[in-house]
Amino acid sequence: MSHFINVILPLPLEKHFTYSVSPAEADFLQVGMRVAVPFGKSKIYTGIISKIHQQAPEIYEAKPIEQILDEKPIVTATQLKFWEWIASYYMCAEGEVLRAAIPSAFLLESETVVQLYKKIEIEERALTDDEFLLFEALQRQSSMKIQEIIQLLDKKTVLPVINSLVEKRVVVVNQEIYEQYKPKLERYVQLHSSYSGEARMHELLDNLDRAPRQREVVLTLFSLSARTKKPIKVSELAKEAKTTTATIKSLIDKNVLEEFHLQTQRVQYEERKLAGEIELNEFQEQTFSEVEQAFESESVCLLHGVTSSGKTEIYIKLIEKVIAEGKQVLFLLPEIALTAQLISRLQNYFGEQVMVYHSKYSVNERVEVYQNILNNSEKAKIVVGVRSSIFLPFQKLGLIVVDEEHESTFKQYDPAPRYNARDASVVLGNLHSSNVLLGTATPAIESYFNAEHHKYKLVNLNRRFGNVLLPKIEVVDIKEKHRKKRMMGHFSDRLQEEITETLKNGEQVILFQNRRGFSPILECNTCGHSPQCPNCDVSLTFHNHNNQLRCHYCGYHMALQKKCMKCGSPELTTKGFGTEQVETELKALFPEHKIGRMDLDTTRGKHGYEKIIAAFEAKEIDILVGTQMLTKGLDFRNVRLVGIMNADTLLNFPDFRAHERSFQLMLQVAGRAGRTKEQGLVLIQTYNPHHRIVQQVSTNSYVEMYEEQTEERRQYKYPPYYRLIRITLKSRDYSRVNEGADWLAKGLKQAFQENVLGPEFPPVARIRNEYYKNILIKIPQKQSISKTKKVMERIFTSFKAIGGFRSIKLVINVDPY
Ligand code: ADP
Ligand code: ZN
Ligand code: ZN
């Protein structure tokens, strides 16, 4: 009797491949283990066993495997089912899902590069002879390929050796390095707490009569604090009081002053370290029990809670219950860098039980996290991560929280699988019989629709924590302001007034402009030409700080030209404006205040985000200008005013979700204002003050927005009423992409008639010298999705069989976002 295994290879193949194994191997092997197998002419890949059986493949002869890599499965049966669903729903290969799903260190293959783990201390005795040989070789040369290692060890089966060294943390493969951010500790001083109260202060000053230097320092500290209303750095005080840090130190030693660090300021949650110390207020308590009740009848619950209502605290209480039952929790976030605040809140509360999974972690760290979860370790009870963490090997998932569920970052664009982690988590929850909680202040229309149609339960929380009122939202008509000459650059008189007022009270300002750069477009007054990217069909964006024109799609850049490149005229004007210009204008308007900018350009460097966020929290920045990065659930304590520089660019974006998105963005950024004490203020500058969305934002009318938008979507056949599948054809050859798209659209129209739109060039039709053309398929609710996909696949197969079209790339995006 011959034995075979089916293997999923990390390649875009339609099927699993069958290999032959010996009876003894068949006996040892289990589904979910890794094997190294030959594929193609001379390549070796690591694959996952999906089935063990006795049926020889019909059309090819099964090759034997090279090597068994595991002693027990590293992929669970549930994961395999999940992969199958992802591949079939998002129309890609299971091999592509596999690549996205497990750390690349698990997938040794011919191309793998092996390096020594930095700063290791090795117990040489713990290594086998082969391992030691490789370890030694890697000390002489910085990296080695598998082929070189095969030569070195003089044997074919080297993957187990490497595997074992990865596990022993001696080597890394395909390394990228990520170091966790540690904010710099700044020393601050304040008057010692024993000197509160006027009497004690006079006493202190009298005492210091004979130490004029020290007295001077104390007085300077008073005046500095009164003037800046900010914590005072030791260095700042030394400078202002014209003294040395030694003098300040002596005052600290005498308990006149006390020092503290930025770090202790940042973590305000310390006092709630111990479990059970969070006290929900009555509204949170109510919400908490409604969510629990919801889970009794339905496994998915949408928590619609206004910004700063304390959703995190409710999550924490729910999580606590689930882990007490011995189950695991997955906490999905739209982004890690911007949500460091939330992660430290979870870590402060749950300590060691929280594990963060990050795509920027080094490959080894990812292996460690993966294995901890697989073993249901105490260290991985709560897994916090971005979208890809839905692929981790959970054993007993009890709850999935999707925070800020409306965020588009839950959708993967490239490469396949193009999944939406929010939607996929509902399926994952189902596979584990786990509950799923979607939380947000601005639900995605799809999610709210599902709640309205009783697929999800809906729970509302309308109060901010601490009974702070939601910010007051005021619309500023800038058309009118321009007419009345009340604009300074892009700042209305209202906005300037309120900024002045806010700064005067020592509070902070956030300004939102959803475009980076100085002014997006440079235009010639004489001939109307604006400089274009040579590789993409877009105008270049002007960046003032380095006098460059840049392409935001491919990174192409050139020096700013003084004259029009077409007609030579020196009269160039700028159109539109970005964050950089807002910053420049602000510096002129408020020269004595610190201004920070947060966008892709300023956060690119290592820990860019964290630095800016920490500086803003420490009040080293008074006004923070930024793009939509500012909207991501940040919890700042001292922001009174939020200004939206221009609502119109958001509203006019050519996409059926533009209105929904504008609403979400504006309401989220508004939610950064006035989170602690008094009510905050939001100013929305717009040329269209009567736009429905602007009105709905200003009155916080989510349901009204939802009803109007869904009505439009119904009329024009968009989600949630219709499902969309977008097919993008890409080629460097312009006429080929046109021909291919026409052929494909014709075939699809025969099958789906008027529910096929296009082919059509997208707004940016050429990127990095590839031409793009889209076809959109709309699937009515009644039409079977799986049948639709089968028909599509048949058409794709005929398409690929046509010689001239073989070079065209087909990208299929189910539920594009
Ligand atoms: P959301 O995520 O709903 O916008 P957060 O969870 O960030 O709101 O809560 C807003 C602020 O209120 C946070 O600073 C949080 O620490 C505080 N807060 C909320 N609930 C509580 C509570 N029960 N006890 C103490 N502080 C709370
Ligand atoms: Zn010109
Ligand atoms: Zn470009």
Side-chain angles (χ1 to χ4, degrees), residues 533 535-536 538 551 553-556:
C533 174
N535 311 318
C536 313
V538 288
C551 172
Y553 285 84
C554 73
Y556 171 87

Side-chain angles (χ1 to χ4, degrees), residues 191-204:
L191 198 61
H192 196 275
S193 49
S194 61
Y195 290 105
S196 59
E198 210 153 317
R200 289 282 287 141
M201 264 170 46
H202 283 298
E203 197 181 312
L204 168 65

Side-chain angles (χ1 to χ4, degrees), residues 524-529 563-569 571-572:
C524 169
N525 270 348
T526 313
C527 76
H529 174 76
K563 290 178 183 164
C564 171
M565 288 189 286
K566 202 163 171 204
C567 73
S569 156
E571 275 180 55
L572 303 174

Side-chain angles (χ1 to χ4, degrees), residues 532-540 550-557 764 766-769:
Q532 303 287 307
C533 174
N535 311 318
C536 313
D537 282 345
V538 288
S539 301
L540 296 172
R550 290 193 80 94
C551 172
H552 285 180
Y553 285 84
C554 73
Y556 171 87
H557 51 90
V764 179
R766 185 177 52 119
I767 297 174
R768 296 171 197 272
N769 282 319

Side-chain angles (χ1 to χ4, degrees), residues 490 512-522 539-552 574-585 597-604 625-627 629 645:
H490 296 93
F512 170 74
Q513 170 61 9
N514 209 24
R515 249 184 194 167
R516 60 202 166 96
F518 192 77
S519 53
I521 293 165
L522 206 62
S539 301
L540 296 172
T541 300
F542 173 42
H543 286 234
N544 190 43
H545 71 104
N546 51 8
N547 251 322
Q548 270 185 352
L549 295 174
R550 290 193 80 94
C551 172
H552 285 180
T574 53
K575 276 172 77 179
F577 65 107
T579 42
E580 203 188 325
Q581 187 165 3
V582 175
E583 186 191 13
T584 308
E585 291 181 9
R597 175 155 64 91
M598 184 152 107
D599 55 31
L600 261 185
D601 297 319
T602 59
T603 54
R604 222 183 293 264
V625 183
T627 56
M629 285 179 184
M645 297 303 295

